[in-house]
Amino acid sequence: MHMRLALLMCLVLATLPLFAQNGGSLRGKVLVVEHSDHSTAPGQEGQVPEYIGLPGAYVRWAHDMSSTTVSDGFGFFKLPMANLGDTLLASMLGYETAGWIYDGSSYVDIPLIAGVDLEAAEVVERKSATQFSLLSPLDVQSLNRKELAKAACCNLSEAFETNASVDASFTDAVTGTRQIRMLGLDGKYSQIQVDNLPGPRGLSAVRGLLFIPGDWVNEIHISKGAGTVTQGYESITGQINVALKNPETADPYHVNLYVNGSGRKEFNYISRHDISRRWSTAVLIHGLHNEQANDRNEDGFLDTPMQRNFVGRSEWKLKGDRGIRGEYAATYVNTAAVAGQKTAFGNAENWGQMTGRMDSLAGPWSAVTAIERTELSAKTGFVFPDAEWRTIGTQFNYYNHFHQQRFGKNQYEGTELFFRGNVLYADIFGSTDRNYTLGATYVYNSFDESFAVNDTLQIAMDRTESVPGVFFEYTWNPNERWSVIGGLRYDEHNLFGRFLSPRLHARWSATENTSIKVVAGKGYRTSNHFMEQLGSWASQRQWNWNVYGTTVPEEAINVGLNVTSKFRLNYREATLTLDGYSTQFQNKLVVDLDRSTGAIDLYALNGQSFANSAQAEFNWDVHRHWDMRLAYRWVNAHTDRAFGNPTQDPFVSKHRAFGQFSYASQLNEREGQWRTDFTCQWIGAQRLPLTTENPEAFQRPDIAPDFFQINAQVTRQFSPEFSIYAGVENAHNYKQDRPIIAGDYNLESVSQTDFDQYFDASLVYGPIFGRMLYAGLRWGILTPKVND
């Protein structure tokens, strides 16, 4: 099947130039710097000003008055193309007229500068916290700082609380680790990137989300479906690119303090510094501390882990002469966490004694984790001065990741070394309507893992992956209605042979404000089951890897359709998105928790495995001070399992609904305001792994009940530089009933024999801690406003 898809892609790429059209229209957008009583004041977002579309601006060619057009409600315009060198004029009452010399481009952004202060009227236009692109062939949803500030967002795993496309849930009832899901599948099938470089993957596929503090994030771009070929073969259900604050987007100084009801305290510091005309740098520091023992449900286990985290990053940006640009960064991570039965740490006098239990196998059940990671990255690009559309760039990324953990009597130690080099060259075919990118990639990835069961059975699992690859991507924009991105990637894996990854993204604009997008592509990935099934460690289950046998790559085809429409409802901006996606696996590692309550069976797929999803999302700027978001998603995830076990994937809600409401008051004379955000999610019923072979006292229902999750936050901004916030998660205090099998709930007598045989804290579908209160403050020195 993948060969047919590859041939189809080659045919499409070969015939696209035949349909290219000459002439056509020039499209663009008139922009102004955001000044609004409803959003963050100019300068608060960092050094780069925030721009929004300007409706009602006049745009025309200087030599032809009859060509005059008016920008629409979002600032977009189009008019017939002219000759090279002609001048395009954009004007608006209260702004200085701007001119632009036509250079053959098919699209242009024209910023206007305020020239006259109109005090008699107040026009309010604001940038949405979540943005959908009508022009890009990719189904991309962008979350900016305004959206991320609607919740505590302490790290990347908590950054999607106000987003309907990505789910976040706990892996188990002990460690407090969260994982994400997209299109009904685990986050490991989504390619997560940081500044367009590889992010959490490999041994950090789950816990790596904790290494990206939410306060460091400038924007998050969520792309559904298989991503572009330039970033590798690992994208199956989508790409999530996290754009961190850097020397251009960070404020000169920024501090965020956070504390919550579980005893968790966090500190974030960000600053940027101009070293010289060419060099600037940003320093990012994150610290987390929690030594409070919490056991609200009185099952004898800590509800949240006690932990200490430190993450530091230094990024340097080069703006060289003659078109040279560079970004270089170093990141260091050191984390330690302890969890388990309270009695395991009752006699520990200090943190060192707690984490020192890594080698202690006797006594109460406990979980101890220690991670150390060093990461280096370098991106360098060159833009040809006489041809700005022609560029060449390099991307290099290296990390050394060490992970040590003990869960009960099982111990694990793993080291991962990763290097990726990517070289890209971009140019055009005759005109900017037809451009291409080609390049080559090399990936080196080594794993050195050891696993000990009861300190007796020693298992070593080592492998080294060496993967050279090449790719070609073609972009075609024949007119304002059509846009196509097609790509083909070939990688030669030293262990698994050929990876052929065709990808296609296409957009057709049915109207000015409605676009229809189609995506299709194939992706591959290699599994790291010990770390990807982190939640299963919190149990007495034994790993049955003999059933699995030789490692094989996972491969799947993803196809999808998206319709996005922007319109006016009651004279206010609104957006409606409808999409459907299907992921079909040709090869997959099946993790079976149903065959036996005492085992984790891993084996290669023998049958069908797919995930189909459909989502509708409605965003509406109800009033100048109010906005809302409503969404509903349906998922059908199915995997054929051996031994006649259920085929519906566990821990996946077939139905999910989402509602989010925000309010922001009028800015006062000091640019202070009140902001409130309210989020409600309904999570439908989920299938749980079977426990019917356990004694009745240690059984759990096969289907988890549906429940609501309600979060709220209030922010008081005293000035653009200082604000405080307070909020509540799980406001109605919903808690999963008896989440730990063989936990001591004072309802049953659990012997040590029963505990050793039936203990399982991995069957988690809902909150454990209950209602969580939190508070914090943000303070900073902002980029000064520029007065023209």
Side-chain angles (χ1 to χ4, degrees):
M1 183 174 182
H2 67 275
M3 286 300 299
R4 292 197 297 270
L5 185 58
L7 291 174
L8 177 61
M9 281 295 308
C10 292
L11 179 62
V12 171
L13 293 175
T15 58
L16 285 180
L18 300 179
F19 297 96
Q21 301 177 1
N22 295 323
S25 300
L26 172 67
R27 305 177 74 250
K29 189 174 186 180
V30 182
L31 304 171
V32 293
V33 177
E34 181 179 18
H35 291 273
S36 168
D37 67 344
H38 191 96
S39 60
T40 305
Q44 185 173 354
E45 295 295 331
Q47 184 177 6
V48 178
E50 296 286 346
Y51 286 96
I52 59 175
L54 179 64
Y58 292 95
V59 185
R60 67 177 178 89
W61 294 110
H63 68 280
D64 184 6
M65 288 292 295
S66 64
S67 65
T68 302
T69 186
V70 179
S71 61
D72 64 15
F74 302 97
F76 291 104
F77 68 87
K78 69 173 182 177
L79 71 172
M81 287 186 178
N83 298 318
L84 291 175
D86 285 349
T87 300
L88 184 71
L89 299 177
S91 61
M92 179 71 174
L93 184 63
Y95 296 88
E96 296 181 2
T97 299
W100 174 71
I101 305 301
Y102 179 54
D103 60 2
S105 302
S106 60
Y107 180 88
V108 61
D109 286 327
I110 303 180
L112 296 186
I113 300 174
V116 179
D117 187 12
L118 299 178
E119 298 181 356
E122 180 184 10
V123 179
V124 177
E125 182 81 12
R126 62 196 178 99
K127 182 178 180 181
S128 299
T130 301
Q131 296 179 309
F132 302 86
S133 173
L134 290 175
L135 300 178
S136 172
L138 281 71
D139 180 10
V140 178
Q141 185 179 14
S142 298
L143 316 180
N144 57 27
R145 289 197 217 176
K146 184 177 177 181
E147 179 69 24
L148 298 174
K150 291 182 178 181
C153 186
C154 296
N155 56 65
L156 186 60
S157 69
E158 301 173 352
F160 305 101
E161 297 289 346
T162 62
N163 183 266
S165 298
V166 181
D167 301 332
S169 60
F170 290 101
T171 61
D172 57 81
V174 176
T175 65
T177 303
R178 292 183 183 230
Q179 64 180 351
I180 63 172
R181 289 190 176 93
M182 190 171 175
L183 303 185
L185 293 170
D186 289 344
K188 61 186 178 182
Y189 297 109
S190 299
Q191 186 179 32
I192 301 178
Q193 298 181 305
V194 178
D195 292 331
N196 287 314
L197 295 174
R201 59 174 304 283
L203 299 188
S204 64
V206 177
R207 293 194 66 93
L209 301 176
L210 306 177
F211 307 156
I212 305 176
D215 209 47
W216 291 15
V217 178
N218 187 56
E219 287 185 324
I220 299 177
H221 304 284
I222 303 170
S223 176
K224 294 182 181 180
T228 64
V229 296
T230 60
Q231 298 301 325
Y233 54 78
E234 292 184 324
S235 171
I236 294 178
T237 59
Q239 285 182 336
I240 300 176
N241 182 44
V242 182
L244 298 181
K245 296 175 183 178
N246 58 46
E248 286 189 346
T249 60
D251 294 324
Y253 291 96
H254 173 83
V255 173
N256 182 16
L257 302 178
Y258 168 89
V259 62
N260 69 18
S262 70
R264 177 169 153 185
K265 297 174 283 292
E266 294 194 19
F267 167 79
N268 288 284
Y269 168 84
I270 303 171
S271 65
R272 65 170 179 83
H273 311 273
D274 294 326
I275 306 302
S276 66
R277 181 175 64 87
R278 295 183 178 89
W279 286 95
S280 58
T281 184
V283 178
L284 300 89
I285 297 174
H286 167 79
L288 182 151
H289 181 270
N290 186 1
E291 293 185 16
Q292 179 174 309
N294 301 290
D295 183 19
R296 290 188 177 182
N297 57 6
E298 299 181 347
D299 60 359
F301 285 78
L302 298 180
D303 296 334
T304 57
M306 295 186 286
Q307 55 187 327
R308 284 184 177 179
N309 296 346
F310 172 81
V311 187
R313 178 181 175 89
S314 175
E315 180 170 347
W316 293 74
K317 185 174 288 287
L318 167 66
K319 289 185 179 180
D321 298 328
R322 300 180 180 178
I324 297 178
R325 298 289 186 269
E327 298 176 9
Y328 313 96
T331 305
Y332 176 75
V333 178
N334 191 304
T335 73
V338 296
Q341 291 178 301
K342 288 195 303 181
T343 54
F345 311 103
N347 297 325
E349 297 180 357
N350 54 54
W351 179 262
Q353 290 186 14
M354 293 180 186
T355 56
R357 297 181 183 274
M358 182 72 73
D359 299 323
S360 175
L361 301 178
W365 193 95
S366 60
V368 182
T369 302
I371 298 174
E372 187 171 19
R373 178 186 178 97
T374 303
E375 184 170 357
L376 303 173
S377 65
K379 295 190 293 185
T380 305
F382 174 73
V383 179
F384 289 78
D386 57 343
E388 295 184 356
W389 57 84
R390 184 178 300 123
T391 63
I392 186 170
T394 60
Q395 300 173 337
F396 297 102
N397 185 230
Y398 164 84
Y399 65 74
N400 184 337
H401 183 95
F402 175 74
H403 188 123
Q404 186 180 21
Q405 71 178 33
R406 180 180 57 76
F407 280 65
K409 298 181 181 180
N410 297 330
Q411 289 183 295
Y412 169 88
E413 187 172 294
T415 300
E416 178 187 4
L417 295 177
F418 176 84
F419 170 81
R420 175 179 177 266
N422 202 27
V423 180
L424 306 96
Y425 174 79
D427 206 339
I428 63 174
F429 283 125
S431 69
T432 56
D433 291 340
R434 295 173 292 166
N435 56 76
Y436 66 91
T437 301
L438 58 85
T441 305
Y442 176 73
V443 174
Y444 174 87
N445 206 184
S446 69
F447 299 87
D448 182 4
E449 300 176 278
S450 62
F451 180 58
V453 181
N454 295 328
D455 201 30
T456 55
L457 179 62
Q458 298 285 339
I459 303 296
M461 300 185 67
D462 303 336
R463 78 173 188 273
T464 298
E465 300 181 15
S466 178
V467 190
V470 294
F471 58 87
F472 176 81
E473 186 173 85
Y474 178 80
T475 302
W476 180 48
N477 298 293
N479 53 52
E480 66 273 10
R481 286 186 174 271
W482 282 98
S483 182
V484 179
I485 299 177
L488 188 63
R489 182 180 187 93
Y490 177 84
D491 296 272
E492 186 68 32
H493 201 290
N494 65 314
L495 300 178
F496 308 122
R498 180 188 64 186
F499 288 174
L500 188 63
S501 309
R503 309 277 174 85
L504 175 67
H505 301 82
R507 170 192 61 84
W508 177 65
S509 295
T511 68
E512 283 278 336
N513 298 315
T514 300
S515 66
I516 301 174
K517 303 179 182 182
V518 177
V519 58
K522 186 170 188 178
Y524 300 79
R525 65 178 304 277
T526 55
S527 61
N528 295 279
H529 36 277
F530 283 142
M531 287 296 98
E532 292 167 3
Q533 300 302 319
L534 190 64
S536 299
W537 286 77
S539 68
Q540 299 290 18
R541 294 175 181 264
Q542 299 301 310
W543 292 82
N544 191 356
W545 51 83
N546 292 328
V547 178
Y548 174 47
T550 305
T551 300
V552 294
E554 297 184 287
E555 57 180 297
I557 292 177
N558 179 278
V559 295
L561 174 68
N562 169 269
V563 179
T564 301
S565 180
K566 294 185 178 182
F567 53 94
R568 295 269 178 173
L569 181 60
N570 195 26
Y571 304 102
R572 308 295 298 181
E573 292 184 12
T575 303
L576 176 65
T577 61
L578 306 172
D579 61 49
Y581 287 86
S582 178
T583 305
Q584 304 281 339
F585 283 89
Q586 282 72 53
N587 218 341
K588 183 180 181 180
L589 170 65
V590 179
V591 180
D592 194 338
L593 301 178
D594 292 289
R595 186 183 70 87
S596 172
T597 56
I600 306 169
D601 293 321
L602 301 100
Y603 48 85
L605 177 67
N606 183 18
Q608 287 188 328
S609 179
F610 60 83
N612 299 325
S613 68
Q615 179 173 313
E617 182 171 343
F618 173 69
N619 290 265
W620 184 26
D621 184 10
V622 183
H623 181 267
R624 60 187 300 181
H625 299 299
W626 290 91
D627 60 55
M628 62 177 289
R629 179 180 306 137
L630 300 175
Y632 167 78
R633 186 174 68 252
W634 170 86
V635 172
N636 181 24
H638 164 106
T639 300
D640 286 341
R641 289 174 170 80
F643 317 111
N645 291 328
T647 59
Q648 182 182 353
D649 286 354
F651 306 115
V652 178
S653 298
K654 181 168 287 190
H655 304 281
R656 195 179 188 103
F658 177 94
Q660 202 268 333
F661 305 88
S662 297
Y663 167 79
S665 68
Q666 178 86 15
L667 285 171
N668 60 28
E669 64 279 2
R670 299 187 60 187
E671 299 188 56
Q673 68 176 172
W674 288 92
R675 294 193 297 269
T676 60
D677 299 283
F678 176 85
T679 304
C680 179
Q681 294 191 62
W682 173 68
I683 296 92
Q686 310 169 45
R687 188 183 79 80
L688 299 179
L690 299 177
T691 57
T692 51
E693 70 177 37
N694 286 354
E696 184 176 355
F698 304 120
Q699 293 182 10
R700 294 295 184 268
D702 297 340
I703 302 295
D706 65 319
F707 63 94
F708 286 90
Q709 183 87 36
I710 299 175
N711 301 336
Q713 179 177 282
V714 177
T715 301
R716 173 52 175 163
Q717 177 177 302
F718 296 96
S719 69
E721 295 82 13
F722 179 72
S723 63
I724 61 174
Y725 59 93
V728 57
E729 297 177 354
N730 192 15
H732 68 312
N733 201 35
Y734 179 84
K735 290 184 284 187
Q736 178 176 339
D737 182 43
R738 303 168 69 203
I740 300 179
I741 297 179
D744 182 8
Y745 292 95
N746 297 322
L747 299 175
E748 56 196 26
S749 177
V750 180
S751 66
Q752 187 62 44
T753 301
D754 288 339
F755 181 87
D756 291 340
Q757 184 172 358
Y758 301 114
F759 166 69
D760 194 341
S762 66
L763 308 185
V764 173
Y765 64 85
I768 305 298
F769 188 79
R771 183 183 297 112
M772 175 78 76
L773 300 175
Y774 66 86
L777 65 84
R778 301 183 181 98
W779 173 83
I781 299 176
L782 307 185
T783 304
K785 300 180 185 179
V786 178
N787 297 318
D788 296 317

